[in-house]
Amino acid sequence: MVVMTRPRNQANGFTAVLFFASLILGIFAILFLKIVGAHQVIVTLAPVGIMLVYAGAVYSIRKLRLRLDQAGDNLYYLGFLYTLTSLAYSLYEFGSS
């Protein structure tokens, strides 16, 4: 007997909201910490911490649960977008000096 189930979170927008909230929070954290001149370790730990909270929420909160490959992709893209943010700010700083 084959049981058909719909994929988890197919129509659930909570995961998208959490992703974009994590993205915006991380971007603001990176930019703010770079502007105030925080040590690079702090600038790096802030988005890493946000990514860990995101991973924990997606793994442990039932309404936000994703397949592991989707969660991994989302974390990869968060890290990539945070890297681009940091690079863009560095290029802006370099160009203005």
Side-chain angles (χ1 to χ4, degrees):
M1 178 176 176
V2 176
V3 177
M4 299 296 288
T5 60
R6 70 177 180 88
R8 286 186 283 191
N9 291 331
Q10 182 176 1
N12 189 348
F14 292 128
T15 56
V17 170
L18 179 64
F19 176 83
F20 285 110
S22 300
L23 176 63
I24 298 302
L25 181 63
I27 288 172
F28 280 128
I30 291 167
L31 295 176
F32 175 76
L33 291 170
K34 283 185 172 276
I35 289 170
V36 299
H39 193 273
Q40 185 58 45
V41 173
I42 303 299
V43 176
T44 303
L45 286 178
V48 170
I50 292 167
M51 290 173 67
L52 289 173
V53 170
Y54 175 82
V58 167
Y59 181 75
S60 64
I61 299 173
R62 187 172 182 83
K63 278 191 169 191
L64 300 174
R65 193 154 300 156
L66 292 171
R67 292 189 335 248
L68 290 179
D69 63 322
Q70 288 176 320
D73 287 346
N74 286 354
L75 287 166
Y76 172 82
Y77 289 122
L78 275 177
F80 179 66
L81 292 169
Y82 292 160
T83 301
L84 287 179
T85 300
S86 185
L87 178 63
Y89 182 81
S90 296
L91 288 173
Y92 170 77
E93 230 180 18
F94 180 75
S96 66
S97 60

